[in-house]
Amino acid sequence: MKKFDNRKYVIGAIIIAIALAMIIRLFIIQVVDNKYKLSAENNSQRHVVEYPARGMIYDRKGELMVYNQAAYDLLLVPRELKSFDTLAFMRILGIDREYIRENIAKAKQYSWHKPSIFLKEISVETYAVFQEQLYKFPGFFVQTRTLRKYPVPVAAHVLGYVGEVDDRWMEQNPYYKPGDYVGISGIERAYEDVLRGQKGVSIFLVDVHNAIQGHFMDGKYDTLAVRGENIVSTLDLKLQAYGELLMQNKIGSVVAIEPKTGEILCLISSPSYDPNLLIGRIRSVNYQALSRDTLTPLFNRAIMAQYPPGSTFKLVNGLIGLEEGVIDEYTAFSCNGPASVPIKCSHNHRSPISFIHAVEESCNSYYWKSYQAILNNPRYSRIQDSYTAWRNHAMSFGFGKKFNTDIPNELSGFIPDYKYYDKYYGPKGWRPMTIRSLSIGQGEIQITPLQMCNLAATIANRGYYISPHLVKEINGKPAYSDSVTYHKTSVSRENFDLVVEGMSLVYQGDHGTARWYKLPSIPMAGKTGTAENPHGEDHSIFIAFAPVDDPKIAISVVVENAGFGSTWAVPIATLMMEQYLTDSISKPEVEKRMIETNLVARGRGTSDKKD
Amino acid sequence: MIQRKFKIWLEIDWLTIAAYLALVIFGLLNIYSAVYQPEHPSLFDMEMRYGKQVIWVVLAFVFALVIFLIDARFYQFIAYPFYLIMIFLLIAVVLFGTEVNGARSWFQAGAFRIQPAEFGKVAVVLTLAKFLSTFNIQIHSMRTLTILVGIVFLPALLIFFQNDTGSALVYFALIFTLYREGLTGYVLWIGLAIAVLFVFSFIVNPFYIALIITAITVFLYYQDRKSVLESTIALLTFTFTNILVYIINEYFDLGYQPFFLVAMSTLPVAIIFLAYAIWKRIKSAMYLSLIIISSIIFLSSVDFVFNEVMEKHQQTRILVLLGLKEDPKGAGYNVNQSKIAIGSGGFSGKGFLEGTQTKYDFVPEQSTDFIFCTVGEEWGFLGTTSVILIFVFLLLRLIVLAERQRSNFNRIVGWGVISILFFHFSINILMTIGLAPVIGIPLPFFSYGGSSLWAFTILLFIFLKLDSTRKEFLQ
Ligand SMILES: [Zn+2]
């Protein structure tokens, strides 16, 4: 076989040649060509995020307040992009060349192989046409999203709105990716974790013709989207809508609470807006318009406006005086009416006046003298101590701090501490006389409408309150979080009984400031107030609850620039309570007048708000 | 006696054994990584493939040792009986075997599974060697060729019936052995020509191929005969008949495909030329006419088989293989995933156990046929090149060993081992990098599986045993 010996070289050469071919090929695949490294990340699969439907929101009676509507986003994967028929593309989608160029550049900048949103919320019709032609536009695909919808366009501030996540949010919450939606305000924000559900991912195989060939590995690695949980809010949709109707063409707020539970029945800030304006593609345009409106419809006055509480605060001062023992049921002070010093009393009433009637008639002199007695209490050697004692009592009503339940962006109001005055006047520079305005709820004190309503609820409960909150149930289970707690004030129950008696006279008494609106069927109790407004006409304030002996609703109403409390705030509060308790209105002429009156023109001045 | 045994250990080719051990151990590492699950970190965890592979490796070493202890003459003696037993087993497995992944090629006993086709290679190599080393054999005699084809094709056919095309094709690798033993070199070149023609028949319309082949043969004829007249007559005849058939097709609006027209016009002319060449005894004209005829018949049959016989998925698979169609999910899916895995490894790889593509079952069959992906992804270009170089070293070393045998039997066994290892090595790696069809054969010593590891070990060590005793044989 010697003559075939050289054939071993032929075979050896073939072996070496094939090995060389392998090595060259491997060098190209592994070292030269980046295609495979990129592919390794996306691997000819398309990861399509399946967005869960956001949880729906119902009112306390099960009425639907927020639901979802399908929307379609057009996404782009730059790596898969090939030249396409731009004319047809522009025609189908109704966009111009400039838009295409800009957004392709943007997508490339974000990621070469991850999808970016190219065009948001295309209509169902456009979607149908585009889906048929999809194969002509490699790199593009459509993703289904949901948009919020509001069957009754009310409670915009409470429900809040949903918008795209920003960079800061994404940094703190890696769950979110660009283009994801997140609750930005209201319940949407407070219950984001509950409402959003869990995103899923479907891995599809995509061929060169941009056609989905099916699920990768028969869906073995897909994760299902988990829909968001539904929420039952504490709101009464009907009451909310009625309140918004009464408050139309007025600036101010209405807050109602069920005293025994702390459940917020309505939270109205006027002017409001249609929540359907702040969804999807139209959001940014409408948001701009709303934020430019001088009446600041985006500003939630119910929790963010801070007013001096005016006469409503006399209730607190009276309760503290009783509790501190500096006055009692029988204490009477004289009043010289408009001639009173240092604070005039605008009312015309008997003198001397006792505790209950002082509540009924809102006598300034009585409260100035009580307040003086609190601060001059011989138990305390210094005004700083007596003031702090007063302040601690006041704080036990929930003033000067946030409730920290589920109401995003609430403000805390302001009850100055003694250091505030020490700093301003020097430790020896201030006396009861210096801070006399506090006795009638003016001066430095700032309280939000929600806190005012909580005061009404506290008095209705004769001494305690449950943290006000907005959500009752999550997915059928009670939602009371740890933050919703029982708060006992530092004032005892007997003292509250006296105050309630006085407040009852505000409606039922011969001289009560709300007597014009009393209803024979429902015993109500309330207290009017007027917040001094340096920028224009005073704000009309009223807090109330009903029925007196078994309170089902506590309410606060603030109407800005409306002047004296009884003219506007009282009828609105009364109508609201009657509507809530009886589901009917016995004085339609009052209702008509409230709805038709336009108070916006009366003053451009607004409250001292901190935003 | 003691001295002689000692001498045998000295005569063993330790270089080959070193390459063998390197491949087995590196393979084991990659199998470990390919099927690694954090809950089962132990290499010896019998629930995992790597745990089992450790057992197969240990048993393979035992087999290797036993092979060394048996007298070398035993392998020559056992060849024919072993072959008969294997044929019997291959028939039995078609009838009673267990089906795995669509191939009925396994015997199963409890958790233990064995694939007779793997051991068939050992039997065929030994039998082929024994038959070819028969004294004074004429390889080109009709009788010898028939027996040779029988020895190789019978087991291949049986394995083909098991629906395990890949393992069946392996037997064709023995052409290299036959080539070394004196089979005419044409077999290699004809094989190559067929492959090229096959590939081109998909890339270029066969109509043009037929025309080009005709033109080339006429040119070659002119080169051979230097006769302008004859060449011109031939060219004109072909051209004229082609145009004639074309006109007929157009005039009567018959609507035949261009390739069919070329075939119909060229084939009769070539047959006439062939007859003329035989009559006039012009050898070159005879061969060239034959080339035209066989090419056209081949092209027609490829066309016919592809369009009429093959099913859609088989067509797709061929088109994807030839790079004429991209279909990441379908036929090309495995290869595409495999290339992505290998490519993602880069120059130096992602590191041991760091691969992501080969985890999560992106690559199918990855501890068996696609184990090379794990090498590519985790060890990078350095790793893949190393594996290839070890194989090349092993194969070249085996050539050296085979060529130093004094006995024909030993040498042919050596070449049989080389042919089979080479085929497995080249097709397996080429398929993972998309240069060969996915025919599902393991990478020797590397892939998971007891049967293939044992079969390759037995093959290699029988030859090493023969090599260690080469000085005692003089047949
Ligand atoms: Zn008075």
Side-chain angles (χ1 to χ4, degrees), chain A residues 7 25 30 40 43 216 221, chain B residues 179 183 333 337 357 360 433:
Chain A
R7 287 191 171 182
R25 172 78 163 183
Q30 296 191 289
N43 205 349
F216 172 65
Y221 299 102
Chain B
Y179 170 70
L183 191 66
Y333 179 68
Q337 294 296 333
Q357 293 298 304
Y360 311 118
I433 55 180

Side-chain angles (χ1 to χ4, degrees), chain A residues 335-337 340 345-347 349-350 353 361-366:
Chain A
C335 173
N336 294 330
S340 304
C345 181
S346 54
H347 309 111
H349 55 79
R350 75 197 97 168
I353 192 167
E361 307 230 18
S362 198
C363 178
N364 284 352
S365 304
Y366 191 96

Side-chain angles (χ1 to χ4, degrees), chain A residues 1-2 4-5 7-8 10-16 18-31 33 36-37 39-41 43-45 205-209 213-214 216-217 220-221, chain B residues 176 179-185 326 328-329 333 336-337 339-340 342-344 346-347 357 360-362 372 376 380-381 384-385 388 392 395-396 399 403 411 415 422 425-426 429-430 433-435:
Chain A
M1 291 289 164
K2 282 287 173 215
F4 300 120
D5 270 1
R7 287 191 171 182
K8 71 187 174 196
V10 176
I11 296 173
I14 292 173
I15 291 172
I16 289 168
I18 286 192
L20 268 178
M22 286 175 183
I23 290 172
I24 290 166
R25 172 78 163 183
L26 283 165
F27 188 75
I28 291 167
I29 290 180
Q30 296 191 289
V31 183
D33 198 342
Y36 297 105
K37 285 168 204 72
S39 294
E41 284 175 46
N43 205 349
S44 69
Q45 301 147 10
L205 293 161
V206 181
D207 68 8
V208 286
H209 309 295
Q213 298 285 314
F216 172 65
M217 298 290 284
K220 204 165 136 191
Y221 299 102
Chain B
F176 287 110
Y179 170 70
R180 166 62 187 87
E181 292 308 313
L183 191 66
T184 169
E326 266 191 65
K329 171 212 155 215
Y333 179 68
N336 199 41
Q337 294 296 333
K339 281 196 284 188
I340 288 168
I342 293 173
S344 71
F347 182 73
Q357 293 298 304
Y360 311 118
D361 298 340
F362 275 117
F372 196 67
F381 179 68
T384 51
T385 311
I388 291 167
V392 170
L395 290 168
L396 296 182
I399 292 178
E403 290 299 324
R411 186 185 63 246
W415 277 102
F422 175 55
F425 154 72
S426 54
I429 291 183
L430 290 174
I433 55 180
L435 291 180

